[in-house]
Amino acid sequence: MTATSMIEAAARALADSRRLLVLSGAGLSAESGIPTFREAQTGLWAKFSPQDLATPEAFAANPERVWAWYRWRRSLIARGGVNPGHRAIAALERHLDVVIATQNVDGLQSAAGSHDVSELHGNIWIDRCSACDAEHRQPVAEADDDAELPYCDACGARMRPGVVWFGEMLPVNALERAQAELERCDCVLVVGTSNQVYPAAALVEMAVAGPATVIEVNPQATSVSAAVDAHIAETASKALPALVDRLDGLGAAR
């Protein structure tokens, strides 16, 4: 089937659904020019390993270096901003209840206007206390490279980026919410994920094994592409606006 016919089938499935779970990954935000975790270890950062930049031990040993890397990544995100794929996902709320579980830490899906987002790997715009877990959300804006390291107003300990580092567990509430939505939703939209990073990839596998209609948007075939109900082999920025336009048309015709 062509991408156009897959979009038509997906739109009709969404039109017949009441509750949608979106499972999104790095491919969605890559279209904003935002590098993936591995791609962000280039240029000045190429000499550092993940253990140098994204572990509790790295932060304890050199918080200045860790914060410099995350502030640089914040600036890249702010420059890239939301893209048509993010906006289209937010627009789906015009038609049905939408819950999003994302592996992305960039906060762009909320910035695009989505209201119910579970962040499986945390949020780079949150400063979290390394001692008492108090949190402070920063605006999505280019970071000040000369800013001093942040400290907690509540207890005085150093603040750290509010993301999941190597060796840490995913936020229990976010993961449990995604698992609960798999049992409630009647449609699942999988966008921009290679389905290789666990435990998030297990959510996609559970969706494929369950009763909900599963729609995958990815220009590349993945391990589940042959098993989903509709695989749209296009980028999110191209496929999702077209999907929303077709869904709008179906809604107007009713």
XYZ file of all heavy atoms in Angstrom, residues 28-113:
666
model
N 11.070 11.889 16.003
C 10.135 13.008 15.935
C 10.861 14.336 16.088
O 10.664 15.269 15.306
C 9.062 12.850 17.023
C 8.065 13.995 17.182
C 7.266 14.208 15.897
C 7.126 13.719 18.350
N 11.730 14.441 17.085
C 12.427 15.697 17.334
C 13.648 15.881 16.443
O 14.141 17.009 16.292
C 12.839 15.783 18.807
O 11.699 15.925 19.632
N 14.140 14.807 15.843
C 15.271 14.934 14.920
C 14.920 15.851 13.761
O 15.789 16.513 13.184
C 15.682 13.556 14.407
N 13.625 15.931 13.435
C 13.191 16.793 12.343
C 13.248 18.272 12.708
O 13.079 19.134 11.837
C 11.787 16.393 11.899
C 11.747 14.995 11.300
C 10.384 14.640 10.787
O 9.976 15.230 9.767
O 9.708 13.797 11.408
N 13.490 18.573 13.965
C 13.750 19.950 14.395
C 15.246 20.259 14.382
O 15.664 21.321 14.833
C 13.189 20.177 15.805
O 11.781 20.100 15.823
N 16.037 19.300 13.893
C 17.477 19.483 13.882
C 18.132 19.208 15.215
O 19.285 19.597 15.446
N 17.417 18.525 16.097
C 17.926 18.234 17.432
C 18.667 16.899 17.393
O 18.084 15.878 17.033
C 16.780 18.197 18.448
C 16.113 19.569 18.524
C 17.274 17.767 19.824
C 14.805 19.577 19.262
N 19.928 16.878 17.756
C 20.676 15.622 17.695
C 20.183 14.628 18.740
O 19.702 15.012 19.805
C 22.119 16.050 17.976
C 21.997 17.306 18.782
C 20.762 17.993 18.251
N 20.299 13.363 18.420
C 20.013 12.335 19.416
C 21.098 12.369 20.488
O 22.100 13.082 20.372
C 19.998 10.943 18.763
O 21.313 10.654 18.258
C 19.001 10.891 17.614
N 20.906 11.579 21.515
C 21.884 11.536 22.609
C 23.279 11.254 22.070
O 24.247 11.942 22.407
C 21.474 10.458 23.619
C 22.413 10.320 24.776
C 22.244 11.066 25.924
C 23.480 9.426 24.714
C 23.120 10.946 26.997
C 24.355 9.298 25.784
C 24.169 10.064 26.921
N 23.413 10.252 21.221
C 24.726 9.880 20.693
C 25.271 10.955 19.766
O 26.461 11.271 19.775
C 24.640 8.545 19.943
C 24.263 7.367 20.823
C 25.375 6.988 21.788
N 25.023 5.839 22.619
C 25.837 5.290 23.504
N 27.044 5.776 23.685
N 25.438 4.253 24.229
N 24.397 11.529 18.942
C 24.833 12.571 18.017
C 25.303 13.832 18.742
O 26.099 14.602 18.199
C 23.704 12.918 17.053
C 23.368 11.810 16.073
C 22.088 12.064 15.315
O 21.289 12.922 15.754
O 21.879 11.399 14.289
N 24.809 14.026 19.962
C 25.217 15.205 20.736
C 26.625 15.055 21.302
O 27.169 16.004 21.871
C 24.225 15.457 21.864
N 27.197 13.874 21.151
C 28.578 13.664 21.580
C 29.515 13.818 20.385
O 30.273 12.930 20.022
C 28.730 12.285 22.226
C 28.004 12.170 23.555
C 28.055 10.750 24.095
O 27.059 10.046 24.153
N 29.245 10.333 24.490
N 29.425 14.958 19.735
C 30.261 15.276 18.588
C 30.971 16.590 18.862
O 30.733 17.257 19.869
C 29.413 15.392 17.308
O 28.406 16.401 17.508
C 28.732 14.080 16.981
N 31.824 16.998 17.939
C 32.514 18.273 18.094
C 33.333 18.313 19.372
O 34.143 17.432 19.652
N 33.085 19.333 20.171
C 33.835 19.508 21.413
C 33.579 18.373 22.401
O 34.386 18.139 23.310
C 33.461 20.844 22.066
C 33.837 22.111 21.295
C 33.269 23.333 21.997
C 35.353 22.219 21.148
N 32.465 17.663 22.230
C 32.075 16.632 23.191
C 32.440 15.232 22.729
O 32.144 14.256 23.410
C 30.567 16.734 23.445
C 30.189 18.071 23.980
C 29.612 19.098 23.295
C 30.400 18.551 25.308
N 29.450 20.186 24.111
C 29.921 19.882 25.358
C 30.936 17.985 26.469
C 29.968 20.650 26.510
C 30.987 18.760 27.623
C 30.507 20.062 27.630
N 33.082 15.104 21.571
C 33.367 13.787 21.016
C 34.310 12.962 21.885
O 34.283 11.730 21.838
C 33.948 13.942 19.612
N 35.149 13.620 22.664
C 36.137 12.884 23.464
C 35.551 12.311 24.746
O 36.234 11.578 25.466
C 37.316 13.791 23.801
C 36.961 14.997 24.650
C 38.185 15.874 24.884
C 37.839 17.120 25.688
N 39.016 17.991 25.892
N 34.291 12.643 25.037
C 33.677 12.172 26.278
C 32.742 10.999 26.000
O 32.032 10.974 24.997
C 32.902 13.297 26.961
C 33.758 14.463 27.368
C 33.703 15.662 26.686
C 34.630 14.350 28.443
C 34.485 16.734 27.054
C 35.427 15.413 28.833
C 35.365 16.611 28.124
N 32.728 10.055 26.912
C 31.819 8.914 26.826
C 30.526 9.249 27.560
O 30.466 10.217 28.328
C 32.473 7.686 27.468
O 32.512 7.839 28.883
N 29.468 8.442 27.363
C 28.247 8.657 28.139
C 28.493 8.633 29.648
O 27.835 9.340 30.404
C 27.350 7.500 27.699
C 27.822 7.173 26.322
C 29.311 7.383 26.351
N 29.443 7.831 30.086
C 29.754 7.751 31.514
C 30.397 9.029 32.035
O 30.403 9.282 33.234
C 30.678 6.553 31.770
C 29.985 5.199 31.665
C 29.568 4.843 30.244
O 30.250 5.212 29.279
N 28.468 4.123 30.105
N 30.915 9.861 31.110
C 31.502 11.147 31.500
C 30.465 12.256 31.609
O 30.739 13.308 32.184
C 32.561 11.591 30.480
C 33.761 10.670 30.428
O 34.166 10.158 31.491
O 34.286 10.463 29.317
N 29.278 12.028 31.010
C 28.317 13.106 30.864
C 26.928 12.806 31.417
O 26.167 13.741 31.676
C 28.164 13.460 29.370
C 29.430 13.904 28.646
C 29.172 13.941 27.137
C 29.894 15.262 29.146
N 26.582 11.546 31.581
C 25.189 11.201 31.887
C 25.083 10.085 32.902
O 24.348 9.114 32.702
C 24.457 10.828 30.599
N 25.811 10.218 33.992
C 25.686 9.293 35.114
C 25.748 10.080 36.417
O 26.324 11.177 36.462
C 26.816 8.240 35.121
O 28.073 8.914 35.333
C 26.854 7.452 33.836
N 25.188 9.548 37.495
C 25.326 10.220 38.789
C 26.790 10.387 39.187
O 27.170 11.394 39.795
C 24.581 9.285 39.749
C 23.602 8.546 38.887
C 24.301 8.363 37.577
N 27.617 9.410 38.820
C 29.036 9.474 39.174
C 29.737 10.616 38.439
O 30.588 11.311 39.008
C 29.711 8.140 38.843
C 29.243 6.965 39.682
C 27.901 6.401 39.250
O 27.429 6.736 38.132
O 27.301 5.621 40.028
N 29.380 10.820 37.165
C 29.968 11.913 36.400
C 29.588 13.257 36.998
O 30.418 14.176 37.074
C 29.506 11.834 34.947
N 28.327 13.372 37.435
C 27.874 14.630 38.030
C 28.583 14.900 39.348
O 28.975 16.034 39.637
C 26.365 14.587 38.242
C 25.794 15.877 38.764
C 25.722 16.989 37.961
C 25.330 15.969 40.074
C 25.200 18.186 38.435
C 24.814 17.144 40.565
C 24.745 18.264 39.743
N 28.773 13.869 40.140
C 29.466 14.045 41.418
C 30.923 14.447 41.204
O 31.475 15.254 41.954
C 29.389 12.749 42.228
N 31.542 13.894 40.156
C 32.958 14.159 39.911
C 33.196 15.498 39.234
O 34.180 16.189 39.538
C 33.555 13.039 39.055
N 32.304 15.887 38.312
C 32.522 17.112 37.548
C 31.189 17.737 37.144
O 30.770 17.663 35.987
C 33.361 16.814 36.301
C 33.970 18.070 35.694
O 33.380 19.140 35.753
N 35.149 17.924 35.093
N 30.485 18.355 38.086
C 29.175 18.935 37.761
C 29.273 20.057 36.736
O 28.336 20.275 35.967
C 28.669 19.441 39.112
C 29.887 19.602 39.951
C 30.825 18.534 39.506
N 30.381 20.773 36.704
C 30.539 21.862 35.736
C 30.487 21.326 34.305
O 29.827 21.899 33.429
C 31.854 22.610 35.975
C 31.914 23.400 37.267
C 32.279 22.547 38.479
O 32.570 21.327 38.291
O 32.265 23.086 39.598
N 31.209 20.231 34.058
C 31.219 19.656 32.713
C 29.843 19.120 32.329
O 29.373 19.326 31.203
C 32.256 18.529 32.627
C 32.332 17.881 31.239
C 33.554 16.985 31.140
N 33.476 15.861 32.060
C 34.542 15.150 32.453
N 35.755 15.485 32.031
N 34.392 14.125 33.271
N 29.199 18.431 33.253
C 27.875 17.879 32.961
C 26.884 18.996 32.645
O 26.147 18.930 31.654
C 27.380 17.021 34.144
C 25.921 16.617 33.943
C 28.251 15.772 34.300
N 26.888 20.042 33.456
C 25.961 21.144 33.202
C 26.274 21.863 31.898
O 25.363 22.304 31.179
C 25.964 22.137 34.369
C 24.873 21.871 35.357
C 24.996 21.506 36.665
C 23.464 21.965 35.114
N 23.763 21.340 37.243
C 22.805 21.626 36.326
C 22.700 22.282 34.003
C 21.420 21.611 36.431
C 21.307 22.265 34.105
C 20.684 21.928 35.310
N 27.542 21.986 31.548
C 27.903 22.642 30.285
C 27.319 21.888 29.101
O 26.810 22.486 28.141
C 29.425 22.738 30.166
N 27.385 20.542 29.170
C 26.837 19.739 28.081
C 25.329 19.881 28.004
O 24.769 20.050 26.905
C 27.237 18.269 28.271
C 26.898 17.387 27.115
C 27.308 17.548 25.831
C 26.088 16.209 27.131
N 26.809 16.532 25.049
C 26.061 15.694 25.813
C 25.404 15.528 28.140
C 25.364 14.542 25.472
C 24.717 14.377 27.807
C 24.687 13.885 26.488
N 24.643 19.837 29.120
C 23.189 19.937 29.099
C 22.725 21.337 28.713
O 21.695 21.491 28.043
C 22.602 19.491 30.443
C 22.494 17.987 30.529
C 23.504 17.224 31.114
C 21.417 17.315 29.971
C 23.431 15.834 31.154
C 21.327 15.931 30.001
C 22.341 15.195 30.592
O 22.266 13.822 30.618
N 23.453 22.376 29.097
C 23.086 23.722 28.670
C 23.280 23.885 27.167
O 22.481 24.552 26.499
C 23.893 24.757 29.450
C 23.372 24.959 30.870
C 24.263 25.848 31.695
N 23.638 26.165 32.981
C 24.312 26.555 34.057
N 25.627 26.689 34.008
N 23.661 26.810 35.183
N 24.327 23.260 26.634
C 24.528 23.296 25.185
C 23.370 22.594 24.479
O 22.834 23.095 23.477
C 25.858 22.616 24.847
C 26.121 22.463 23.380
C 26.393 23.460 22.480
C 26.137 21.237 22.643
N 26.585 22.930 21.229
C 26.440 21.564 21.296
C 25.949 19.897 22.991
C 26.540 20.600 20.302
C 26.054 18.932 22.000
C 26.342 19.286 20.674
N 22.945 21.449 25.003
C 21.818 20.726 24.409
C 20.527 21.532 24.539
O 19.705 21.552 23.602
C 21.660 19.361 25.078
C 22.776 18.383 24.726
C 22.616 17.067 25.451
N 21.377 16.388 25.065
C 20.868 15.364 25.738
N 21.459 14.917 26.834
N 19.755 14.791 25.326
N 20.330 22.220 25.649
C 19.145 23.074 25.788
C 19.114 24.138 24.691
O 18.051 24.425 24.116
C 19.135 23.735 27.166
C 18.695 22.833 28.314
C 18.749 23.592 29.636
N 18.219 22.795 30.737
C 18.128 23.222 32.001
N 18.561 24.449 32.317
N 17.625 22.438 32.945
N 20.265 24.721 24.390
C 20.312 25.749 23.358
C 19.945 25.179 21.995
O 19.237 25.825 21.210
C 21.705 26.391 23.316
O 21.939 27.157 24.479
N 20.412 23.974 21.681
C 20.063 23.333 20.414
C 18.559 23.096 20.318
O 17.948 23.291 19.260
C 20.808 22.012 20.270
C 22.333 22.065 20.159
C 22.901 20.654 20.027
C 22.776 22.929 18.994
N 17.963 22.672 21.414
C 16.517 22.422 21.432
C 15.748 23.720 21.226
O 14.781 23.782 20.451
C 16.108 21.746 22.754
C 16.712 20.345 22.837
C 14.583 21.671 22.879
C 16.653 19.738 24.230
N 16.177 24.774 21.915
C 15.494 26.062 21.799
C 15.575 26.599 20.372
O 14.608 27.179 19.850
C 16.101 27.062 22.779
N 16.706 26.404 19.719
C 16.853 26.862 18.335
C 15.997 26.043 17.381
O 15.426 26.575 16.421
C 18.320 26.772 17.913
C 19.241 27.744 18.622
C 20.695 27.436 18.308
N 21.591 28.000 19.306
C 22.882 27.698 19.422
N 23.417 26.805 18.583
N 23.624 28.260 20.350
N 15.912 24.744 17.632
C 15.142 23.877 16.741
C 13.644 24.080 16.885
O 12.920 24.209 15.896
N 13.171 24.109 18.109
C 11.763 24.349 18.381
C 10.842 23.242 17.898
O 11.282 22.200 17.411
N 9.556 23.471 18.063
C 8.564 22.479 17.658
C 8.501 22.409 16.140
O 8.791 23.383 15.435
C 7.175 22.786 18.254
C 7.221 22.788 19.769
C 6.653 24.130 17.746
N 8.135 21.257 15.626
C 8.011 21.077 14.181
C 6.591 20.637 13.831
O 5.759 20.426 14.732
C 9.075 20.091 13.679
C 8.904 18.689 14.246
O 7.812 18.120 14.225
N 9.992 18.099 14.750
N 6.256 20.512 12.539
C 4.891 20.142 12.164
C 4.420 18.823 12.754
O 3.211 18.639 12.979
C 4.962 20.075 10.634
C 6.045 21.051 10.270
C 7.075 20.889 11.360
N 5.343 17.897 13.019
C 4.944 16.637 13.641
C 4.442 16.835 15.055
O 3.400 16.282 15.448
N 5.171 17.631 15.848
C 4.708 17.944 17.204
C 3.338 18.623 17.167
O 2.439 18.278 17.950
C 5.696 18.902 17.896
C 7.051 18.333 18.161
N 8.191 18.835 17.585
C 7.454 17.310 18.946
C 9.237 18.156 18.014
N 8.826 17.221 18.839
N 3.203 19.602 16.270
C 1.939 20.354 16.216
C 0.776 19.465 15.784
O -0.352 19.619 16.268
C 2.088 21.553 15.277
C 2.925 22.684 15.875
C 2.864 23.936 15.032
N 3.678 23.825 13.837
C 4.959 24.178 13.757
N 5.566 24.676 14.825
N 5.628 24.053 12.630
N 1.049 18.533 14.870
C -0.025 17.640 14.418
C -0.486 16.720 15.541
O -1.694 16.462 15.688
C 0.455 16.821 13.213
N 0.443 16.224 16.342
C 0.060 15.378 17.478
C -0.819 16.170 18.441
O -1.835 15.667 18.941
C 1.305 14.819 18.180
C 2.003 13.791 17.284
C 0.941 14.180 19.519
C 3.330 13.301 17.805
N -0.438 17.420 18.702
C -1.261 18.267 19.575
C -2.643 18.485 18.965
O -3.654 18.514 19.679
C -0.559 19.594 19.826
N -2.706 18.628 17.638
C -3.985 18.875 16.963
C -4.922 17.683 17.028
O -6.148 17.837 16.874
C -3.738 19.266 15.508
N -4.404 16.489 17.246
C -5.260 15.305 17.350
C -6.236 15.413 18.517
O -7.270 14.746 18.522
C -4.403 14.049 17.505
C -3.634 13.606 16.254
C -2.646 12.496 16.606
C -4.596 13.124 15.170
N -5.923 16.275 19.491
C -6.814 16.450 20.634
C -8.151 17.065 20.222
O -9.102 17.045 21.005
C -6.134 17.310 21.701
C -4.926 16.635 22.337
C -4.299 17.469 23.447
O -4.944 18.425 23.919
O -3.167 17.160 23.845
N -8.218 17.611 19.018
C -9.516 18.120 18.532
C -10.505 16.993 18.300
O -11.720 17.219 18.266
C -9.320 18.889 17.220
C -8.478 20.140 17.320
C -8.743 21.059 16.135
N -8.398 20.445 14.866
C -7.251 20.675 14.208
N -6.331 21.474 14.744
N -7.018 20.114 13.043
N -9.997 15.776 18.128
C -10.853 14.671 17.707
C -11.064 13.597 18.767
O -12.088 12.919 18.751
C -10.268 14.031 16.448
C -10.261 14.937 15.261
N -11.349 15.109 14.436
C -9.284 15.753 14.774
C -11.052 15.980 13.485
N -9.814 16.381 13.655
N -10.101 13.395 19.645
C -10.225 12.311 20.624
C -9.308 12.576 21.804
O -8.485 13.492 21.772
C -9.921 10.957 19.987
C -8.498 10.614 19.519
C -8.443 9.126 19.125
C -8.032 11.432 18.337
N -9.496 11.807 22.846
C -8.625 11.922 24.013
C -7.237 11.388 23.653
O -7.118 10.288 23.122
C -9.201 11.126 25.187
C -10.507 11.705 25.698
O -10.712 12.923 25.557
O -11.320 10.938 26.236
N -6.217 12.158 23.962
C -4.855 11.799 23.574
C -3.954 11.804 24.803
O -3.909 12.787 25.547
C -4.283 12.772 22.519
C -2.854 12.372 22.139
C -5.182 12.824 21.286
N -3.250 10.713 24.995
C -2.221 10.604 26.028
C -0.914 10.281 25.327
O -0.879 9.442 24.429
C -2.562 9.512 27.069
C -1.434 9.364 28.082
C -3.875 9.835 27.766
N 0.160 10.947 25.720
C 1.452 10.775 25.063
C 2.459 10.232 26.059
O 2.580 10.742 27.176
C 1.955 12.111 24.489
C 0.957 12.641 23.447
C 3.350 11.961 23.871
C 1.043 14.109 23.212
N 3.182 9.198 25.651
C 4.318 8.695 26.418
C 5.538 8.834 25.512
O 5.609 8.185 24.478
C 4.107 7.244 26.837
N 6.462 9.708 25.884
C 7.588 9.998 25.008
C 8.911 9.640 25.651
O 9.095 9.790 26.860
C 7.585 11.490 24.597
O 8.654 11.713 23.673
C 7.743 12.409 25.806
N 9.834 9.178 24.802
C 11.202 8.955 25.241
C 12.021 10.238 25.140
O 13.139 10.287 25.638
C 11.857 7.869 24.377
C 11.181 6.515 24.449
C 11.771 5.539 23.458
O 12.956 5.228 23.512
N 10.953 5.054 22.535
N 11.487 11.247 24.489
C 12.218 12.494 24.279
C 12.252 13.325 25.559
O 11.254 13.411 26.279
C 11.585 13.298 23.152
C 11.615 12.549 21.827
O 12.508 11.730 21.597
N 10.646 12.796 20.973
N 13.383 13.962 25.816
C 13.541 14.785 27.021
C 13.441 16.268 26.711
O 13.600 17.102 27.605
C 14.891 14.496 27.717
C 15.002 13.029 28.106
C 16.084 14.918 26.851
N 13.144 16.629 25.452
C 13.251 18.029 25.029
C 12.070 18.905 25.408
O 12.124 20.125 25.274
C 13.484 18.103 23.518
C 12.483 17.272 22.718
O 11.272 17.413 22.941
O 12.931 16.467 21.884
N 10.966 18.322 25.851
C 9.807 19.115 26.262
C 9.040 19.742 25.117
O 8.116 20.530 25.355
N 9.355 19.392 23.876
C 8.743 20.075 22.736
C 7.299 19.665 22.495
O 6.525 20.438 21.928
C 9.580 19.842 21.476
C 10.964 20.497 21.478
C 11.705 20.191 20.181
C 10.854 22.007 21.698
N 6.907 18.454 22.911
C 5.516 18.065 22.691
C 4.577 18.911 23.552
O 3.528 19.350 23.090
C 5.317 16.580 22.978
C 3.989 16.054 22.466
C 3.814 16.269 20.972
O 4.581 15.750 20.171
N 2.816 17.047 20.596
N 4.973 19.175 24.781
C 4.179 20.083 25.620
C 4.217 21.494 25.062
O 3.208 22.210 25.063
C 4.697 20.066 27.057
O 4.483 18.794 27.656
N 5.381 21.919 24.572
C 5.501 23.258 23.991
C 4.609 23.415 22.770
O 4.153 24.522 22.461
C 6.957 23.534 23.627
N 4.328 22.301 22.076
C 3.460 22.344 20.901
C 1.984 22.432 21.276
O 1.141 22.655 20.405
C 3.692 21.110 20.039
N 1.662 22.229 22.550
C 0.284 22.365 23.001
C -0.373 21.106 23.504
O -1.550 21.139 23.897
